[in-house]
Amino acid sequence: MMVSKMIATCGGIGYVKGGGTIAAAVYTILWLLIRPSIVNMPVQVVVFIALLVAGVWVANTLEQVWGKDSHRIVIDEAAGMCCTLLFVPHSWPFALLGLAAFRFFDIVKPLYIRNAEKLPGGWGVMADDVAAGICANLLLQLVMVTNLI
């Protein structure tokens, strides 16, 4: 149970007020610091899949303890931010725009993103953040092809 809580809260971030935003920001900073050493882009996809699988597992496990979609679970924000930054240029402007876009889509939940929360158990916890990450990533892709940054 202790390991599940550490994973779900991203090392305790979920216990802090605003934990979702903090977890997304921490992931973004780690992406900026670590990614230059990763020459193989598929590694980022593997990280995303690992976060998704771990998130579903811990959310299923902790739902019985903390209730449905507890604010303490912030691995979903890390996974959503990971999805946001897939296949985008490694730069501060893209990282900051990605963070802002992801948090917008995650908080406002337009475009049927809220419906993803209705999935059962851990899938519902993770799906809305992944959907928000996909929307934010599509926005970043649009910025890339139009050379706005």
Side-chain angles (χ1 to χ4, degrees):
M1 186 69 71
M2 181 69 163
V3 172
S4 296
K5 289 179 180 179
M6 289 301 291
I7 293 169
T9 63
C10 291
I13 293 171
Y15 295 111
V16 178
K17 185 172 173 65
T21 299
I22 294 168
V26 166
Y27 181 87
T28 303
I29 291 165
L30 290 173
W31 178 82
L32 282 165
L33 295 175
I34 294 171
R35 183 158 168 230
S37 65
I38 300 173
V39 293
N40 195 349
M41 213 31 156
V43 170
Q44 241 184 313
V45 175
V46 170
V47 169
F48 170 68
I49 292 168
L51 286 169
L52 182 61
V53 169
V56 170
W57 173 68
V58 297
N60 280 333
T61 301
L62 293 172
E63 189 173 69
Q64 299 144 13
V65 178
W66 287 340
K68 183 156 177 60
D69 203 357
S70 170
H71 67 277
R72 295 180 192 122
I73 299 173
V74 294
I75 192 171
D76 52 338
E77 274 81 8
M81 204 55 227
C82 182
C83 182
T84 297
L85 296 173
L86 284 173
F87 313 115
V88 299
H90 183 257
S91 71
W92 277 99
F94 275 99
L96 293 176
L97 179 59
L99 179 60
F102 169 69
R103 290 309 291 157
F104 168 79
F105 287 115
D106 187 33
I107 293 167
V108 177
K109 299 189 188 316
L111 308 169
Y112 301 103
I113 291 172
R114 187 167 309 281
N115 290 344
E117 292 177 319
K118 296 175 184 173
L119 290 170
W123 288 107
V125 172
M126 298 301 291
D128 67 308
D129 293 274
V130 170
I134 290 169
C135 291
N137 185 278
L138 290 173
L139 179 67
L140 292 178
Q141 298 298 325
L142 181 63
V143 168
M144 277 175 31
V145 298
T146 57
N147 294 315
L148 292 175
I149 295 181

